[in-house]
Amino acid sequence: MKVGTRHYRTIWLAEDGRTVRIIDQTRLPHDFVLADLTTMDQAATAIADMWVRGAPLIGATAGYGMALQMAEDPSDAGLARGHAVLLATRPTAVNLRWALDDMRRLLAPLPPSDRTAAAYARAAEICDEDVEINRRIGTHGLALIEAIAARKPGPVNILTHCNAGWLATVDWGTATAPIYLAAAKGIPLHVWVDETRPRNQGAHLTAWEMDSHAIPHHLIVDNAGGHLMQHGQVDMVIVGTDRTTAQGDVCNKIGTYLKALAAHDNGVPFYVALPSPTIDWTVRDGVAEIPIEERSADEVSFVQGKLADGTRTRLRISPEGTPAANPAFDVTPARLVTGLITERGIAPASAQGLAALFPDLAP
Amino acid sequence: MKVGTRHYRTIWLAEDGRTVRIIDQTRLPHDFVLADLTTMDQAATAIADMWVRGAPLIGATAGYGMALQMAEDPSDAGLARGHAVLLATRPTAVNLRWALDDMRRLLAPLPPSDRTAAAYARAAEICDEDVEINRRIGTHGLALIEAIAARKPGPVNILTHCNAGWLATVDWGTATAPIYLAAAKGIPLHVWVDETRPRNQGAHLTAWEMDSHAIPHHLIVDNAGGHLMQHGQVDMVIVGTDRTTAQGDVCNKIGTYLKALAAHDNGVPFYVALPSPTIDWTVRDGVAEIPIEERSADEVSFVQGKLADGTRTRLRISPEGTPAANPAFDVTPARLVTGLITERGIAPASAQGLAALFPDLAP
């Protein structure tokens, strides 16, 4: 998508045909800084330290991480080490394991001398596939926005939580793809951006994306969405997901469930945009079965941002003696989800709905 | 309540019998600083700039503000000016108008020479009445906590939003009074403290209160409560209220509604603690009728806190180009409220429930 007047993806191959270039997302929204990855270990650090984040982009970075590893050490031992180190970077991302297993399946049967070229080619393909999946999600979601625009005057008000934007993918984003396509078609839009504590990905990343594309938006605290819905100021909610179960339960950034409850209580349609690789067909009941990552208490006790003089730093907001708890995700039961926007179309959030759209994948 | 080993109220008369002393709550949780109010204009500033906040404490400060004004200018013009200046400090607080009208009704018929003494006496009385009301709220709420403690092992897990603690009142607090009484009785407790963006009164004030009283607690982001309730980690919710309607709708800090929805969805009892002066008998449908204060966008775009070197400052969390919206309160419909804990007992959140407990006040 656009940064200034230039088109960027979130990950690409540099001119030397070996170095992998990314946007260091920890520096956004205040600085737009690129970073070069020249080794597998650097790719692992980029994932673990969240220079890149978002399930699809993590998968793509893992793919390129394996390519970097093959360029360093294409032996069987090198392949095993790359898979192990990259897999250990983030505990929950389904796409991470998917991409690593995919690369290993491709590379293992090849002679080491052929592995590097094959790995780079497949990593590029994973990126292109992600872009195409998101473009299709956008097309299906666009139809929902057009339908709302057709029946009401003024802008279509869309609320989103966290960042399921192009920064979370290779391009387009999942939840944002319909928004970008609608904006390109000239449909009047306005986006409510949840700041999304504790890491504030909404304030840091989604707001930056909307600002970069001149899409009218307002930042709001995570507490505000219910009030806005009570007063007719939200026409639809679109969020992303880190993992979706076979019966349509949605595991996403903490707080998504509260917004889904408010949408349900006020008759506001609540959509989840997802590429099919984030469906975990082995899990049915998300609340009971999905383990939730408990992250560092510091993310709650401190807030990151920029001082008036431009310095990036963090502030403590609570007493030193106060401990914090930090569950990073929650599960929204399928009963609260209006529909799942996938690359193949919109599925009802149910086992039957998903099976009908993905008969080749459903158990 | 306790600060270190000393007992404090949030407002009291200094040794000179004229100066009013308060805790400058804008300095909490990092510094405990007292402030002296020697003029009515200082009292107005203390309310407007939120050195004091919380409906009951605002009322008490307004009472003492009128006393300070009588000490300066006990004429009819002085009385009118004090009433007008203090009333303009905060738009929504019901107790503010109640206290000012009460003082004017008392003072207006008196000769100016008698007004100062009468004003100080009545202001002290307003404070004592508030303490007694909160103590009674505490007693009624304590019975609810005892009932939960009797039927489950381990601590009673209570979630609260914003600060309806002793810092919001003259002493005890509303939502916290049952907690302090239960702790004093040795009932094992654990409190989930919502940070309560945008102003973070939970992180700044409620966490500080719990820490000061050694009550086990964890700070959480406002997004986390739903997840905790889904997993049985919340036994009850107790919040305060800025205004309660005659049919039991509850206007409170933004985000309260989302927690009430989650409590309802998970069968967790949701209680609201309130002194009867916060009931607005003229309003029935809270969502439709109560105007919601829209506060400065800076409260959303910036976060206040303390740097590692101890400096208190604020950080920008969003891009410069991103505007913010900041509705400060929301309305929780009575259907989501398990009960209203008042100084006269616990009322169902309904017109009949409130009328039965307050036949002398209900319309």
Side-chain angles (χ1 to χ4, degrees):
Chain A
M1 300 299 299
K2 280 190 298 187
V3 181
T5 54
R6 248 195 79 173
H7 177 268
Y8 282 89
R9 283 185 176 187
T10 53
I11 188 166
W12 66 98
L13 203 57
E15 306 74 27
D16 66 6
R18 171 166 170 162
T19 302
V20 178
R21 199 157 281 164
I22 59 167
I23 300 166
D24 179 355
Q25 300 192 21
T26 64
R27 304 291 300 273
L28 292 173
H30 306 302
D31 306 293
F32 181 74
V33 176
L34 304 182
D36 281 352
L37 310 177
T38 58
T39 66
M40 183 277 290
D41 286 311
Q42 286 177 352
T45 301
I47 298 171
D49 292 355
M50 298 180 79
W51 303 5
V52 293
R53 17 71 55 202
L57 177 54
I58 287 172
T61 308
Y64 269 121
M66 286 297 272
L68 288 166
Q69 175 69 357
M70 292 303 93
E72 285 175 87
D73 174 6
S75 70
D76 286 357
L79 184 61
R81 177 167 179 272
H83 189 283
V85 171
L86 289 163
L87 187 62
T89 51
R90 287 290 299 276
T92 11
V94 170
N95 303 50
L96 176 64
R97 177 179 283 279
W98 171 85
L100 291 170
D101 288 354
D102 183 82
M103 295 295 286
R104 187 170 58 182
R105 198 164 35 240
L106 168 78
L107 301 174
L110 300 180
S113 58
D114 292 354
R115 285 176 177 170
T116 307
Y120 273 101
R122 178 61 188 140
E125 215 171 69
I126 287 176
C127 291
D128 289 343
E129 285 169 7
D130 182 62
V131 174
E132 178 58 17
I133 282 176
N134 296 329
R135 199 193 55 76
R136 288 189 195 179
I137 287 172
T139 307
H140 298 302
L142 170 62
L144 299 171
I145 296 175
E146 286 179 314
I148 293 169
R151 68 167 189 260
K152 66 159 277 200
V156 178
N157 286 297
I158 302 173
L159 184 141
T160 191
H161 191 67
C162 199
N163 177 261
W166 74 271
L167 290 169
T169 64
V170 177
D171 208 350
W172 290 109
T174 53
T176 54
I179 293 170
Y180 289 127
L181 288 177
K185 282 195 79 168
I187 297 171
L189 295 175
H190 171 263
V191 178
W192 296 110
V193 178
D194 279 356
E195 64 174 342
T196 320
R197 280 278 288 151
R199 292 181 63 91
N200 279 337
Q201 293 97 330
H204 295 169
L205 305 177
T206 306
W208 182 81
E209 288 194 23
M210 296 298 116
D211 189 37
S212 299
H213 289 80
I215 293 174
H217 67 291
H218 279 87
L219 180 68
I220 52 173
V221 294
D222 302 305
N223 283 325
H227 167 75
L228 296 173
M229 292 187 213
Q230 280 181 321
H231 290 270
Q233 295 179 272
V234 181
D235 295 309
M236 70 188 303
V237 179
I238 316 181
V239 298
T241 169
D242 287 74
R243 202 196 287 207
T244 306
T245 75
Q247 71 183 17
D249 296 339
V250 171
C251 182
N252 191 43
K253 189 56 36 73
I254 191 82
T256 303
Y257 166 53
L258 294 172
K259 298 308 149 52
L261 284 167
H264 187 76
D265 199 46
N266 293 285
V268 173
F270 185 92
Y271 287 98
V272 180
L274 62 135
S276 57
T278 59
I279 303 173
D280 186 341
W281 299 100
T282 69
V283 173
R284 290 187 61 83
D285 182 336
V287 175
E289 295 176 54
I290 298 180
I292 298 297
E293 180 183 357
E294 176 81 23
R295 293 181 56 87
S296 162
D298 276 8
E299 291 184 354
V300 177
S301 305
F302 293 85
V303 174
Q304 308 276 344
K306 192 176 76 165
L307 291 171
D309 68 6
T311 314
R312 291 169 59 249
T313 185
R314 66 177 201 172
L315 290 181
R316 170 176 276 283
I317 60 165
S318 55
E320 310 267 347
T322 287
N326 186 16
F329 300 93
D330 64 21
V331 173
T332 299
R335 64 185 152 85
L336 302 174
V337 177
T338 308
L340 302 169
I341 311 175
T342 78
E343 70 270 25
R344 293 198 194 166
I346 296 165
S350 65
Q352 304 88 308
L354 278 170
L357 214 52
F358 296 94
D360 48 330
L361 300 175
Chain B
M1 301 300 299
K2 280 191 298 187
V3 181
T5 55
R6 247 195 80 175
H7 177 268
Y8 282 89
R9 285 185 174 186
T10 53
I11 187 166
W12 66 96
L13 201 58
E15 306 74 28
D16 67 3
R18 171 164 170 164
T19 303
V20 178
R21 199 156 282 163
I22 60 168
I23 300 165
D24 179 355
Q25 299 192 21
T26 63
R27 304 291 300 274
L28 291 174
H30 307 302
D31 307 294
F32 181 74
V33 177
L34 304 182
D36 281 351
L37 310 177
T38 58
T39 66
M40 182 275 291
D41 285 311
Q42 287 177 352
T45 301
I47 298 172
D49 292 354
M50 300 180 76
W51 303 5
V52 294
R53 18 69 56 202
L57 177 54
I58 288 171
T61 309
Y64 270 120
M66 287 297 273
L68 288 165
Q69 174 69 356
M70 291 303 93
E72 285 176 86
D73 174 6
S75 70
D76 285 358
L79 185 60
R81 179 167 176 271
H83 189 281
V85 170
L86 289 163
L87 187 61
T89 50
R90 287 290 299 276
T92 11
V94 170
N95 303 49
L96 176 65
R97 176 179 283 280
W98 171 85
L100 290 170
D101 288 355
D102 183 82
M103 295 296 285
R104 186 169 61 184
R105 198 164 37 240
L106 168 78
L107 301 173
L110 300 179
S113 58
D114 291 355
R115 286 176 177 169
T116 307
Y120 273 100
R122 179 59 189 139
E125 214 169 70
I126 287 175
C127 290
D128 290 343
E129 285 168 7
D130 182 61
V131 175
E132 178 58 17
I133 282 175
N134 296 329
R135 200 192 56 75
R136 289 189 194 179
I137 288 171
T139 307
H140 297 302
L142 170 61
L144 299 171
I145 296 175
E146 287 179 314
I148 294 169
R151 69 166 188 261
K152 67 160 276 199
V156 177
N157 286 298
I158 302 172
L159 184 143
T160 190
H161 191 68
C162 198
N163 178 261
W166 75 271
L167 291 169
T169 64
V170 177
D171 209 350
W172 289 108
T174 53
T176 54
I179 293 171
Y180 289 127
L181 288 177
K185 281 195 79 170
I187 297 170
L189 295 175
H190 172 263
V191 178
W192 297 110
V193 178
D194 279 357
E195 65 174 342
T196 320
R197 281 277 288 151
R199 292 182 63 90
N200 279 338
Q201 293 97 332
H204 295 170
L205 306 177
T206 305
W208 182 81
E209 288 194 22
M210 296 298 116
D211 189 36
S212 299
H213 289 80
I215 293 173
H217 66 292
H218 279 87
L219 180 68
I220 52 173
V221 295
D222 302 305
N223 283 325
H227 167 74
L228 296 173
M229 292 186 213
Q230 280 181 320
H231 290 270
Q233 295 180 273
V234 180
D235 295 309
M236 69 189 303
V237 179
I238 315 181
V239 298
T241 169
D242 286 74
R243 202 195 286 206
T244 306
T245 76
Q247 70 184 18
D249 296 340
V250 171
C251 181
N252 191 44
K253 189 56 37 73
I254 191 82
T256 302
Y257 166 53
L258 294 172
K259 298 310 150 48
L261 285 167
H264 187 76
D265 199 45
N266 293 285
V268 173
F270 185 93
Y271 287 98
V272 181
L274 62 136
S276 57
T278 58
I279 303 172
D280 186 341
W281 299 100
T282 69
V283 173
R284 290 187 62 83
D285 182 336
V287 175
E289 296 177 54
I290 298 180
I292 299 296
E293 180 183 358
E294 176 81 22
R295 294 182 54 87
S296 161
D298 276 7
E299 292 185 351
V300 177
S301 305
F302 293 85
V303 174
Q304 308 276 344
K306 192 176 76 164
L307 291 171
D309 68 5
T311 314
R312 291 168 60 250
T313 185
R314 66 179 200 171
L315 291 181
R316 170 175 277 283
I317 59 164
S318 55
E320 310 267 347
T322 286
N326 187 15
F329 301 93
D330 65 21
V331 173
T332 300
R335 66 185 151 86
L336 302 175
V337 177
T338 309
L340 302 169
I341 311 174
T342 77
E343 70 271 24
R344 292 197 195 168
I346 296 166
S350 66
Q352 304 89 308
L354 278 169
L357 214 53
F358 297 95
D360 48 330
L361 300 174

